[in-house]
Amino acid sequence: MTGDQQIENVVLYEVANGIATVTMNRPEYHNAQNSEMTYALDAAFRRASDDDEVKVIVLRGAGKHFSAGHDIGTPGRDIHKSFERASLWYDHVGKPGGEFLYVREQEVYLGMCRRWRELPKPMIAVVHGACIAGGLMLAWVCDLIVASDDAFFADPVVRMGIPGVEYFAHPYELNPRIAKEFLFLGERMSAQRAYQMGMVNRVVARDQLVDEAQSIAERIGKMPRMGLALTKQAINHAEDLMGKRTAMEAAFGWHHFAHAHNELVSGDKLGGYDAKAMASSQRPAVAESK
């Protein structure tokens, strides 16, 4: 298959020369991820997995930023909308108390991210601009991350009283002490420091980003499909033996305790933060981590 294909307006899909390019396409909202986008990404990744012509998947974001994270305040926020589910979890809509968010996030955040991580074809995240909170989850499920020199990474949700995003990979993407700094401060980490910490594979100038990712994808695509799948499976298994999956299960439970605590204390599951307040928190007066 070649040429442009469109899964949904919010996700674009293109295959050329054995490389599937999946592009988040809500640039006016900095690719904030509503459910529509999340399910469209799932459909795109499934399509790429099913296509024998595809050897490598590249994930990008349209516009100024890779992704500003989960949609917590755009006009397209669709948290109360039902979708055809990708897992065996039942519909979250109309469920009482903490069940509403717990069921939804088992499906669209933790469940989908785990499934995408296990997709048997190599995935490359191409990150420019902001990669914040839920954006980290999308980058982290990819096998490689190539970033522009103006990219930055942050998980500021401790400001909400929440111990990091649902796909809690922080101690595995960063060493534990740096992961604590990253979360405790909630400040931006530059692409250069993310590279030093081993979270990012390459940092290049913005105008070289797409070409660099394309070159890496083409070189990977020359490897045998089964060899790539088995190598990915072996390394993921090694991570899980180091506790990644079980640590994530515990962190997900604490994450939802925090939501419930926030609602009991303030009446707001997000601790009083909306999209504007969270964006403002990412323009701190103090210097960013370098």
Side-chain angles (χ1 to χ4, degrees):
M1 183 189 305
T2 60
D4 291 323
Q5 300 288 335
Q6 194 159 306
I7 299 294
E8 295 285 352
N9 290 334
V10 293
V11 171
L12 304 178
Y13 184 86
E14 177 186 0
V15 176
N17 302 318
I19 300 167
T21 300
V22 177
T23 304
M24 294 177 282
N25 191 39
R26 296 186 79 204
E28 68 274 30
Y29 302 118
H30 306 315
N31 298 314
Q33 305 150 36
N34 59 5
S35 292
E36 182 185 13
M37 173 181 279
T38 305
Y39 281 96
L41 284 170
D42 191 64
F45 293 145
R46 184 182 299 276
R47 185 176 193 168
S49 183
D50 289 344
D51 186 349
D52 284 344
E53 297 302 313
V54 171
K55 295 290 291 294
V56 183
I57 301 163
V58 171
L59 176 64
R60 298 173 55 186
K64 293 172 60 177
H65 299 287
F66 177 76
S67 176
H70 296 145
D71 186 343
I72 59 172
T74 82
R77 192 179 189 217
D78 51 13
I79 189 171
H80 291 284
K81 184 178 177 181
S82 295
F83 288 80
E84 184 176 350
R85 293 176 301 284
S87 75
L88 294 177
W89 275 95
Y90 49 84
D91 193 359
H92 69 288
V93 173
K95 302 304 185 291
E99 187 178 13
F100 174 85
L101 272 188
Y102 188 86
V103 170
R104 179 176 185 265
E105 295 186 359
Q106 281 280 0
E107 161 82 350
V108 299
Y109 295 157
L110 184 60
M112 284 196 184
C113 283
R114 281 178 166 173
R115 188 167 64 259
W116 297 342
R117 173 184 178 248
E118 294 172 359
L119 196 155
K121 297 179 180 180
M123 298 174 66
I124 303 172
V126 182
V127 177
H128 69 288
C131 180
I132 299 174
L136 291 170
M137 293 165 51
L138 297 181
W140 285 348
V141 300
C142 294
D143 303 293
L144 305 180
I145 301 175
V146 181
S148 62
D149 54 10
D150 65 348
F152 60 90
F153 305 83
D155 188 356
V157 303
V158 173
R159 288 187 175 89
M160 299 175 172
I162 296 169
V165 290
E166 295 85 352
Y167 183 81
F168 192 84
H170 308 64
Y172 300 89
E173 297 290 341
L174 302 163
N175 74 54
R177 200 171 302 280
I178 301 300
K180 289 177 183 177
E181 175 191 352
F182 188 61
L183 287 165
F184 289 171
L185 295 177
E187 295 171 357
R188 298 177 178 184
M189 177 180 284
S190 68
Q192 290 78 9
R193 192 175 191 209
Y195 174 78
Q196 293 170 352
M197 296 299 106
M199 190 174 86
V200 166
N201 296 89
R202 306 283 172 89
V203 178
V204 298
R206 179 72 167 264
D207 61 0
Q208 299 173 11
L209 181 62
V210 173
D211 288 344
E212 179 71 9
Q214 180 75 16
S215 174
I216 292 171
E218 289 175 353
R219 288 169 6 231
I220 291 173
K222 294 177 182 177
M223 297 292 187
R225 179 173 56 234
M226 191 63 176
L228 291 169
L230 292 175
T231 300
K232 179 169 179 173
Q233 193 173 28
I235 294 173
N236 284 356
H237 179 63
E239 276 193 308
D240 288 340
L241 288 175
M242 290 186 277
K244 185 174 186 177
R245 186 176 182 88
T246 52
M248 205 172 283
E249 289 283 355
F252 186 78
W254 292 320
H255 180 104
H256 281 275
F257 171 80
H259 279 313
H261 177 73
N262 283 343
E263 189 161 34
L264 285 168
V265 170
S266 68
D268 182 1
K269 297 180 180 69
L270 300 182
Y273 277 87
D274 59 13
K276 288 184 179 178
M278 190 54 72
S280 178
S281 79
Q282 283 300 292
R283 303 184 188 99
V286 297
E288 69 177 38
S289 298
K290 293 183 179 177

